Short mmCIF file of all heavy atoms in Angstrom, two decimals:
data_model
loop_
_atom_site.label_atom_id
_atom_site.label_comp_id
_atom_site.label_asym_id
_atom_site.label_seq_id
_atom_site.Cartn_x
_atom_site.Cartn_y
_atom_site.Cartn_z
N MET A 7 -20.93 -8.60 -1.23
CA MET A 7 -19.82 -7.75 -1.65
C MET A 7 -18.91 -7.50 -0.45
O MET A 7 -19.36 -7.06 0.60
CB MET A 7 -20.38 -6.43 -2.20
CG MET A 7 -19.36 -5.51 -2.76
SD MET A 7 -18.89 -6.08 -4.39
CE MET A 7 -18.24 -4.60 -5.08
N PRO A 8 -17.62 -7.77 -0.59
CA PRO A 8 -16.69 -7.55 0.54
C PRO A 8 -16.53 -6.07 0.84
O PRO A 8 -16.75 -5.21 -0.02
CB PRO A 8 -15.38 -8.16 0.05
CG PRO A 8 -15.52 -8.25 -1.42
CD PRO A 8 -16.97 -8.32 -1.76
N ASP A 9 -16.13 -5.80 2.08
CA ASP A 9 -15.94 -4.41 2.50
C ASP A 9 -14.61 -3.85 2.03
O ASP A 9 -14.46 -2.64 1.90
CB ASP A 9 -16.01 -4.30 4.02
CG ASP A 9 -17.41 -4.55 4.54
OD1 ASP A 9 -18.37 -4.40 3.75
OD2 ASP A 9 -17.56 -4.89 5.71
N VAL A 10 -13.64 -4.73 1.83
CA VAL A 10 -12.29 -4.29 1.48
C VAL A 10 -11.93 -4.84 0.10
O VAL A 10 -12.17 -6.00 -0.18
CB VAL A 10 -11.26 -4.77 2.52
CG1 VAL A 10 -9.86 -4.35 2.11
CG2 VAL A 10 -11.60 -4.27 3.91
N THR A 11 -11.36 -3.97 -0.70
CA THR A 11 -10.88 -4.39 -2.02
C THR A 11 -9.39 -4.09 -2.11
O THR A 11 -8.96 -2.97 -1.81
CB THR A 11 -11.62 -3.63 -3.14
OG1 THR A 11 -13.01 -3.90 -3.03
CG2 THR A 11 -11.13 -4.06 -4.51
N ILE A 12 -8.63 -5.08 -2.49
CA ILE A 12 -7.18 -4.91 -2.69
C ILE A 12 -6.89 -5.18 -4.15
O ILE A 12 -7.22 -6.24 -4.67
CB ILE A 12 -6.38 -5.88 -1.80
CG1 ILE A 12 -6.72 -5.63 -0.32
CG2 ILE A 12 -4.88 -5.70 -2.05
CD1 ILE A 12 -6.10 -6.64 0.63
N THR A 13 -6.28 -4.20 -4.78
CA THR A 13 -5.96 -4.31 -6.20
C THR A 13 -4.45 -4.33 -6.37
O THR A 13 -3.76 -3.43 -5.87
CB THR A 13 -6.55 -3.11 -6.98
OG1 THR A 13 -7.96 -3.05 -6.73
CG2 THR A 13 -6.29 -3.25 -8.46
N VAL A 14 -3.97 -5.33 -7.06
CA VAL A 14 -2.54 -5.43 -7.35
C VAL A 14 -2.29 -4.60 -8.60
O VAL A 14 -2.78 -4.93 -9.69
CB VAL A 14 -2.11 -6.90 -7.58
CG1 VAL A 14 -0.63 -6.98 -7.92
CG2 VAL A 14 -2.45 -7.75 -6.36
N ARG A 15 -1.54 -3.53 -8.43
CA ARG A 15 -1.27 -2.67 -9.57
C ARG A 15 -0.11 -3.26 -10.39
O ARG A 15 0.87 -3.74 -9.81
CB ARG A 15 -0.92 -1.26 -9.11
CG ARG A 15 -2.11 -0.52 -8.54
CD ARG A 15 -1.70 0.86 -8.08
NE ARG A 15 -2.85 1.73 -7.92
CZ ARG A 15 -2.96 2.62 -6.95
NH1 ARG A 15 -2.00 2.76 -6.04
NH2 ARG A 15 -4.02 3.40 -6.87
N PRO A 16 -0.21 -3.22 -11.70
CA PRO A 16 0.86 -3.78 -12.52
C PRO A 16 2.20 -3.10 -12.21
O PRO A 16 2.30 -1.87 -12.27
CB PRO A 16 0.42 -3.46 -13.96
CG PRO A 16 -1.05 -3.23 -13.87
CD PRO A 16 -1.30 -2.66 -12.50
N ASN A 17 3.18 -3.89 -11.80
CA ASN A 17 4.52 -3.38 -11.48
C ASN A 17 4.48 -2.23 -10.47
O ASN A 17 5.29 -1.29 -10.56
CB ASN A 17 5.25 -2.94 -12.75
CG ASN A 17 5.39 -4.08 -13.72
OD1 ASN A 17 5.62 -5.21 -13.33
ND2 ASN A 17 5.23 -3.78 -15.00
N GLY A 18 3.53 -2.31 -9.54
CA GLY A 18 3.40 -1.23 -8.55
C GLY A 18 2.87 -1.73 -7.23
O GLY A 18 3.07 -2.88 -6.85
N SER A 19 2.17 -0.85 -6.57
CA SER A 19 1.73 -1.08 -5.19
C SER A 19 0.46 -1.92 -5.11
O SER A 19 -0.11 -2.32 -6.12
CB SER A 19 1.49 0.27 -4.53
OG SER A 19 0.43 0.93 -5.21
N LEU A 20 0.04 -2.14 -3.87
CA LEU A 20 -1.24 -2.77 -3.59
C LEU A 20 -2.20 -1.66 -3.16
O LEU A 20 -1.99 -1.01 -2.13
CB LEU A 20 -1.11 -3.80 -2.47
CG LEU A 20 -0.13 -4.94 -2.72
CD1 LEU A 20 0.04 -5.78 -1.45
CD2 LEU A 20 -0.58 -5.80 -3.87
N LYS A 21 -3.22 -1.45 -3.94
CA LYS A 21 -4.22 -0.42 -3.62
C LYS A 21 -5.26 -1.05 -2.70
O LYS A 21 -5.85 -2.07 -3.06
CB LYS A 21 -4.86 0.11 -4.90
CG LYS A 21 -5.87 1.22 -4.65
CD LYS A 21 -6.38 1.81 -5.94
CE LYS A 21 -7.49 0.97 -6.50
NZ LYS A 21 -8.17 1.56 -7.67
N VAL A 22 -5.49 -0.41 -1.55
CA VAL A 22 -6.43 -0.95 -0.57
C VAL A 22 -7.54 0.07 -0.37
O VAL A 22 -7.29 1.23 -0.04
CB VAL A 22 -5.73 -1.23 0.78
CG1 VAL A 22 -6.69 -1.91 1.74
CG2 VAL A 22 -4.48 -2.09 0.58
N GLU A 23 -8.77 -0.41 -0.56
CA GLU A 23 -9.95 0.46 -0.43
C GLU A 23 -10.94 -0.19 0.52
O GLU A 23 -11.10 -1.40 0.52
CB GLU A 23 -10.66 0.62 -1.77
CG GLU A 23 -9.79 1.08 -2.90
CD GLU A 23 -10.53 1.00 -4.23
OE1 GLU A 23 -11.36 1.90 -4.49
OE2 GLU A 23 -10.29 0.05 -4.97
N GLY A 24 -11.63 0.63 1.28
CA GLY A 24 -12.68 0.13 2.15
C GLY A 24 -12.33 0.31 3.61
O GLY A 24 -11.21 0.67 3.93
N PRO A 25 -13.25 0.04 4.50
CA PRO A 25 -12.94 0.16 5.92
C PRO A 25 -12.04 -1.00 6.35
O PRO A 25 -12.39 -2.17 6.17
CB PRO A 25 -14.31 0.09 6.60
CG PRO A 25 -15.18 -0.63 5.63
CD PRO A 25 -14.64 -0.33 4.26
N PHE A 26 -10.86 -0.67 6.86
CA PHE A 26 -9.92 -1.71 7.30
C PHE A 26 -9.00 -1.12 8.36
O PHE A 26 -8.93 0.10 8.53
CB PHE A 26 -9.10 -2.23 6.12
CG PHE A 26 -8.26 -1.18 5.45
CD1 PHE A 26 -6.98 -0.91 5.88
CD2 PHE A 26 -8.77 -0.44 4.41
CE1 PHE A 26 -6.21 0.07 5.28
CE2 PHE A 26 -8.02 0.54 3.79
CZ PHE A 26 -6.74 0.80 4.23
N ARG A 27 -8.32 -2.01 9.06
CA ARG A 27 -7.28 -1.63 10.01
C ARG A 27 -5.97 -2.18 9.48
O ARG A 27 -5.94 -3.26 8.88
CB ARG A 27 -7.57 -2.20 11.39
CG ARG A 27 -8.80 -1.62 12.01
CD ARG A 27 -9.21 -2.39 13.27
NE ARG A 27 -8.14 -2.41 14.27
CZ ARG A 27 -7.86 -3.46 15.04
NH1 ARG A 27 -8.55 -4.57 14.95
NH2 ARG A 27 -6.89 -3.40 15.92
N LEU A 28 -4.90 -1.45 9.71
CA LEU A 28 -3.57 -1.88 9.28
C LEU A 28 -2.74 -2.08 10.54
O LEU A 28 -2.61 -1.16 11.36
CB LEU A 28 -2.94 -0.81 8.38
CG LEU A 28 -1.57 -1.11 7.79
CD1 LEU A 28 -1.61 -2.38 6.92
CD2 LEU A 28 -1.09 0.09 6.97
N LEU A 29 -2.21 -3.30 10.73
CA LEU A 29 -1.45 -3.64 11.92
C LEU A 29 -0.01 -3.95 11.55
O LEU A 29 0.26 -4.53 10.49
CB LEU A 29 -2.06 -4.86 12.62
CG LEU A 29 -3.56 -4.78 12.94
CD1 LEU A 29 -4.01 -6.09 13.58
CD2 LEU A 29 -3.87 -3.60 13.83
N ASP A 30 0.92 -3.61 12.47
CA ASP A 30 2.33 -3.97 12.24
C ASP A 30 2.58 -5.39 12.74
O ASP A 30 1.65 -6.08 13.19
CB ASP A 30 3.26 -2.94 12.89
CG ASP A 30 3.21 -2.96 14.42
OD1 ASP A 30 2.67 -3.92 15.01
OD2 ASP A 30 3.72 -1.99 15.02
N GLY A 31 3.81 -5.83 12.67
CA GLY A 31 4.15 -7.20 13.03
C GLY A 31 3.90 -7.54 14.48
O GLY A 31 3.79 -8.71 14.84
N ALA A 32 3.79 -6.51 15.33
CA ALA A 32 3.53 -6.72 16.76
C ALA A 32 2.04 -6.58 17.08
O ALA A 32 1.65 -6.63 18.24
CB ALA A 32 4.34 -5.72 17.59
N GLY A 33 1.24 -6.38 16.05
CA GLY A 33 -0.20 -6.25 16.26
C GLY A 33 -0.64 -4.85 16.62
O GLY A 33 -1.80 -4.63 16.97
N GLN A 34 0.28 -3.89 16.54
CA GLN A 34 -0.07 -2.49 16.85
C GLN A 34 -0.65 -1.83 15.60
O GLN A 34 -0.13 -2.01 14.49
CB GLN A 34 1.18 -1.71 17.30
CG GLN A 34 1.81 -2.27 18.57
CD GLN A 34 0.87 -2.18 19.75
OE1 GLN A 34 0.32 -1.13 20.05
NE2 GLN A 34 0.66 -3.32 20.42
N GLU A 35 -1.67 -1.05 15.83
CA GLU A 35 -2.32 -0.40 14.71
C GLU A 35 -1.46 0.71 14.13
O GLU A 35 -0.87 1.51 14.87
CB GLU A 35 -3.68 0.17 15.15
CG GLU A 35 -4.51 0.63 13.97
CD GLU A 35 -6.01 0.59 14.27
OE1 GLU A 35 -6.41 0.02 15.31
OE2 GLU A 35 -6.76 1.12 13.46
N ILE A 36 -1.36 0.74 12.82
CA ILE A 36 -0.65 1.80 12.10
C ILE A 36 -1.69 2.83 11.69
O ILE A 36 -2.70 2.49 11.06
CB ILE A 36 0.06 1.23 10.86
CG1 ILE A 36 1.13 0.22 11.29
CG2 ILE A 36 0.68 2.35 10.02
CD1 ILE A 36 1.76 -0.54 10.13
N ALA A 37 -1.44 4.08 12.06
CA ALA A 37 -2.39 5.14 11.75
C ALA A 37 -2.47 5.34 10.24
O ALA A 37 -1.45 5.37 9.54
CB ALA A 37 -1.95 6.44 12.42
N LEU A 38 -3.69 5.45 9.78
CA LEU A 38 -3.93 5.71 8.36
C LEU A 38 -4.19 7.18 8.15
O LEU A 38 -4.73 7.85 9.04
CB LEU A 38 -5.13 4.90 7.87
CG LEU A 38 -4.99 3.38 8.01
CD1 LEU A 38 -6.30 2.70 7.68
CD2 LEU A 38 -3.88 2.87 7.11
N PRO A 39 -3.84 7.70 7.00
CA PRO A 39 -4.15 9.10 6.72
C PRO A 39 -5.66 9.30 6.82
O PRO A 39 -6.42 8.59 6.15
CB PRO A 39 -3.66 9.30 5.28
CG PRO A 39 -2.70 8.18 5.02
CD PRO A 39 -3.14 7.04 5.89
N PRO A 40 -6.11 10.23 7.65
CA PRO A 40 -7.54 10.36 7.91
C PRO A 40 -8.35 10.83 6.71
O PRO A 40 -9.54 10.57 6.63
CB PRO A 40 -7.60 11.37 9.05
CG PRO A 40 -6.33 12.13 8.97
CD PRO A 40 -5.31 11.18 8.40
N ASP A 41 -7.71 11.49 5.79
CA ASP A 41 -8.44 12.07 4.66
C ASP A 41 -8.34 11.24 3.38
O ASP A 41 -8.71 11.69 2.32
CB ASP A 41 -7.92 13.48 4.40
CG ASP A 41 -6.42 13.50 4.16
OD1 ASP A 41 -5.75 12.55 4.60
OD2 ASP A 41 -5.92 14.46 3.56
N LYS A 42 -7.82 10.01 3.50
CA LYS A 42 -7.64 9.19 2.31
C LYS A 42 -8.45 7.90 2.43
O LYS A 42 -8.13 7.04 3.25
CB LYS A 42 -6.17 8.82 2.13
CG LYS A 42 -5.30 9.96 1.68
CD LYS A 42 -3.90 9.46 1.49
CE LYS A 42 -3.32 9.99 0.20
NZ LYS A 42 -2.00 9.42 -0.06
N PRO A 43 -9.46 7.72 1.60
CA PRO A 43 -10.23 6.48 1.64
C PRO A 43 -9.51 5.32 0.97
O PRO A 43 -9.89 4.18 1.13
CB PRO A 43 -11.51 6.84 0.88
CG PRO A 43 -11.09 7.93 -0.05
CD PRO A 43 -10.01 8.70 0.67
N VAL A 44 -8.45 5.63 0.24
CA VAL A 44 -7.68 4.62 -0.48
C VAL A 44 -6.21 4.81 -0.12
O VAL A 44 -5.72 5.94 -0.11
CB VAL A 44 -7.85 4.77 -2.01
CG1 VAL A 44 -6.97 3.78 -2.76
CG2 VAL A 44 -9.30 4.62 -2.41
N ILE A 45 -5.52 3.71 0.18
CA ILE A 45 -4.09 3.81 0.41
C ILE A 45 -3.37 2.82 -0.50
O ILE A 45 -3.98 1.88 -1.03
CB ILE A 45 -3.68 3.54 1.87
CG1 ILE A 45 -3.97 2.10 2.26
CG2 ILE A 45 -4.32 4.54 2.81
CD1 ILE A 45 -3.21 1.66 3.49
N SER A 46 -2.07 3.02 -0.66
CA SER A 46 -1.25 2.12 -1.45
C SER A 46 -0.14 1.57 -0.58
O SER A 46 0.57 2.33 0.08
CB SER A 46 -0.64 2.86 -2.64
OG SER A 46 -1.65 3.25 -3.55
N LEU A 47 -0.04 0.27 -0.54
CA LEU A 47 1.01 -0.40 0.23
C LEU A 47 2.14 -0.81 -0.70
O LEU A 47 1.91 -1.30 -1.81
CB LEU A 47 0.45 -1.64 0.92
CG LEU A 47 -0.65 -1.38 1.96
CD1 LEU A 47 -1.16 -2.70 2.52
CD2 LEU A 47 -0.15 -0.48 3.08
N CYS A 48 3.36 -0.60 -0.21
CA CYS A 48 4.55 -0.92 -1.00
C CYS A 48 4.66 -2.42 -1.24
O CYS A 48 4.50 -3.22 -0.33
CB CYS A 48 5.80 -0.41 -0.29
SG CYS A 48 7.33 -0.81 -1.16
N ARG A 49 4.95 -2.76 -2.46
CA ARG A 49 5.15 -4.16 -2.84
C ARG A 49 6.58 -4.38 -3.33
O ARG A 49 7.03 -5.52 -3.44
CB ARG A 49 4.15 -4.52 -3.94
CG ARG A 49 4.14 -5.97 -4.34
CD ARG A 49 2.86 -6.34 -5.06
NE ARG A 49 2.70 -5.68 -6.32
CZ ARG A 49 2.65 -6.30 -7.50
NH1 ARG A 49 2.77 -7.59 -7.57
NH2 ARG A 49 2.46 -5.62 -8.60
N CYS A 50 7.30 -3.30 -3.62
CA CYS A 50 8.64 -3.45 -4.19
C CYS A 50 9.73 -3.51 -3.12
O CYS A 50 10.83 -3.96 -3.40
CB CYS A 50 8.94 -2.31 -5.15
SG CYS A 50 9.27 -0.71 -4.34
N GLY A 51 9.43 -3.02 -1.91
CA GLY A 51 10.41 -3.05 -0.83
C GLY A 51 11.33 -1.84 -0.78
O GLY A 51 12.22 -1.78 0.05
N HIS A 52 11.14 -0.86 -1.65
CA HIS A 52 12.05 0.28 -1.72
C HIS A 52 11.47 1.59 -1.18
O HIS A 52 12.16 2.61 -1.20
CB HIS A 52 12.54 0.48 -3.15
CG HIS A 52 13.50 -0.58 -3.59
ND1 HIS A 52 14.86 -0.44 -3.50
CD2 HIS A 52 13.29 -1.82 -4.08
CE1 HIS A 52 15.45 -1.53 -3.93
NE2 HIS A 52 14.51 -2.39 -4.29
N SER A 53 10.24 1.57 -0.70
CA SER A 53 9.65 2.80 -0.18
C SER A 53 10.40 3.29 1.06
O SER A 53 10.84 2.49 1.89
CB SER A 53 8.18 2.54 0.19
OG SER A 53 7.64 3.68 0.85
N GLN A 54 10.54 4.58 1.18
CA GLN A 54 11.14 5.18 2.38
C GLN A 54 10.06 5.45 3.43
O GLN A 54 10.36 6.00 4.49
CB GLN A 54 11.85 6.49 2.01
CG GLN A 54 13.01 6.30 1.05
CD GLN A 54 14.07 5.34 1.58
OE1 GLN A 54 14.59 5.54 2.68
NE2 GLN A 54 14.36 4.29 0.83
N ASN A 55 8.84 5.10 3.12
CA ASN A 55 7.70 5.33 4.02
C ASN A 55 6.90 4.04 4.18
O ASN A 55 5.67 4.04 4.12
CB ASN A 55 6.81 6.46 3.46
CG ASN A 55 5.75 6.89 4.43
OD1 ASN A 55 5.94 6.82 5.64
ND2 ASN A 55 4.61 7.32 3.92
N LYS A 56 7.59 2.92 4.38
CA LYS A 56 6.90 1.64 4.52
C LYS A 56 5.97 1.67 5.72
O LYS A 56 6.29 2.31 6.71
CB LYS A 56 7.92 0.50 4.70
CG LYS A 56 8.74 0.25 3.46
CD LYS A 56 9.67 -0.92 3.71
CE LYS A 56 10.65 -1.10 2.59
NZ LYS A 56 11.83 -0.24 2.72
N PRO A 57 4.85 1.05 5.65
CA PRO A 57 4.43 0.10 4.63
C PRO A 57 3.77 0.76 3.43
O PRO A 57 3.28 0.07 2.55
CB PRO A 57 3.44 -0.80 5.37
CG PRO A 57 2.77 0.13 6.32
CD PRO A 57 3.87 1.08 6.76
N PHE A 58 3.78 2.09 3.41
CA PHE A 58 3.07 2.79 2.33
C PHE A 58 3.98 2.97 1.11
O PHE A 58 5.20 3.09 1.24
CB PHE A 58 2.58 4.16 2.82
CG PHE A 58 1.71 4.07 4.03
CD1 PHE A 58 2.19 4.41 5.28
CD2 PHE A 58 0.41 3.60 3.94
CE1 PHE A 58 1.41 4.30 6.41
CE2 PHE A 58 -0.39 3.48 5.07
CZ PHE A 58 0.11 3.83 6.31
N CYS A 59 3.39 3.00 -0.04
CA CYS A 59 4.11 3.27 -1.29
C CYS A 59 4.43 4.76 -1.34
O CYS A 59 3.59 5.59 -1.02
CB CYS A 59 3.22 2.87 -2.47
SG CYS A 59 3.84 3.39 -4.08
N ASP A 60 5.66 5.07 -1.75
CA ASP A 60 6.03 6.47 -1.95
C ASP A 60 6.41 6.75 -3.40
O ASP A 60 6.98 7.80 -3.70
CB ASP A 60 7.15 6.88 -1.00
CG ASP A 60 8.48 6.21 -1.33
OD1 ASP A 60 8.53 5.36 -2.25
OD2 ASP A 60 9.48 6.54 -0.66
N GLY A 61 6.14 5.82 -4.28
CA GLY A 61 6.44 6.00 -5.70
C GLY A 61 7.81 5.51 -6.10
O GLY A 61 8.17 5.58 -7.28
N SER A 62 8.59 5.01 -5.14
CA SER A 62 9.95 4.55 -5.46
C SER A 62 9.98 3.42 -6.48
O SER A 62 10.98 3.24 -7.19
CB SER A 62 10.68 4.09 -4.19
OG SER A 62 10.91 5.17 -3.32
N HIS A 63 8.89 2.66 -6.57
CA HIS A 63 8.87 1.54 -7.52
C HIS A 63 9.10 2.02 -8.96
O HIS A 63 9.65 1.29 -9.77
CB HIS A 63 7.55 0.76 -7.41
CG HIS A 63 6.33 1.56 -7.71
ND1 HIS A 63 5.65 2.28 -6.74
CD2 HIS A 63 5.69 1.79 -8.88
CE1 HIS A 63 4.63 2.89 -7.32
NE2 HIS A 63 4.63 2.61 -8.60
N ARG A 64 8.69 3.25 -9.23
CA ARG A 64 8.90 3.78 -10.59
C ARG A 64 10.38 4.05 -10.83
O ARG A 64 10.91 3.80 -11.91
CB ARG A 64 8.10 5.07 -10.78
CG ARG A 64 6.61 4.82 -10.90
CD ARG A 64 5.85 6.10 -11.25
NE ARG A 64 4.57 6.10 -10.58
CZ ARG A 64 4.28 6.74 -9.47
NH1 ARG A 64 5.16 7.52 -8.90
NH2 ARG A 64 3.09 6.65 -8.92
N GLN A 65 11.04 4.59 -9.80
CA GLN A 65 12.46 4.93 -9.96
C GLN A 65 13.34 3.70 -10.12
O GLN A 65 14.37 3.75 -10.79
CB GLN A 65 12.93 5.76 -8.76
CG GLN A 65 12.22 7.10 -8.67
CD GLN A 65 12.43 7.79 -7.35
OE1 GLN A 65 13.07 7.26 -6.46
NE2 GLN A 65 11.86 8.98 -7.21
N ILE A 66 12.94 2.61 -9.48
CA ILE A 66 13.76 1.39 -9.59
C ILE A 66 13.26 0.48 -10.71
O ILE A 66 13.81 -0.61 -10.91
CB ILE A 66 13.78 0.61 -8.27
CG1 ILE A 66 12.39 0.08 -7.93
CG2 ILE A 66 14.35 1.46 -7.16
CD1 ILE A 66 12.38 -1.06 -6.95
N ASN A 67 12.21 0.94 -11.40
CA ASN A 67 11.63 0.15 -12.51
C ASN A 67 11.22 -1.24 -12.02
O ASN A 67 11.58 -2.25 -12.63
CB ASN A 67 12.61 0.05 -13.68
CG ASN A 67 11.91 -0.44 -14.94
OD1 ASN A 67 10.70 -0.27 -15.10
ND2 ASN A 67 12.66 -1.07 -15.82
N PHE A 68 10.48 -1.25 -10.91
CA PHE A 68 10.02 -2.51 -10.32
C PHE A 68 9.22 -3.32 -11.33
O PHE A 68 8.29 -2.79 -11.98
CB PHE A 68 9.16 -2.23 -9.08
CG PHE A 68 8.50 -3.43 -8.49
CD1 PHE A 68 9.27 -4.45 -7.92
CD2 PHE A 68 7.13 -3.56 -8.46
CE1 PHE A 68 8.66 -5.57 -7.35
CE2 PHE A 68 6.51 -4.68 -7.90
CZ PHE A 68 7.28 -5.69 -7.35
N GLN A 69 9.58 -4.58 -11.48
CA GLN A 69 8.88 -5.49 -12.37
C GLN A 69 8.32 -6.63 -11.53
O GLN A 69 9.08 -7.39 -10.94
CB GLN A 69 9.82 -6.05 -13.45
CG GLN A 69 10.42 -4.98 -14.34
CD GLN A 69 9.39 -4.29 -15.22
OE1 GLN A 69 8.62 -4.95 -15.92
NE2 GLN A 69 9.34 -2.96 -15.15
N ALA A 70 7.01 -6.71 -11.46
CA ALA A 70 6.38 -7.78 -10.70
C ALA A 70 6.55 -9.11 -11.44
O ALA A 70 6.59 -9.13 -12.67
CB ALA A 70 4.92 -7.49 -10.51
N PRO A 71 6.69 -10.19 -10.68
CA PRO A 71 6.82 -11.49 -11.34
C PRO A 71 5.57 -11.85 -12.12
O PRO A 71 4.50 -11.44 -11.82
CB PRO A 71 7.05 -12.48 -10.21
CG PRO A 71 6.96 -11.73 -8.93
CD PRO A 71 6.75 -10.29 -9.25
S1 FES B 126 5.44 -0.29 -4.53
FE1 FES B 126 5.57 1.83 -4.60
S2 FES B 126 7.35 2.27 -3.46
FE2 FES B 126 7.22 0.13 -3.39
#
């Protein structure tokens, strides 16, 4: 069983669960919320808090291909 599970939410974010590290394009670690075992990464490109989802996909009616 893998340690990390990534779930593609229909017309929404990527839900990431499990012990993992999140790195930016330069390889620097992005701090994760310490009290959240699950995070959501933006897939629509409209979050004001990238790389995390802020719910903006609902406002723009994001439709995944
Ligand atoms: S997927 Fe939620 S704000 Fe982009």
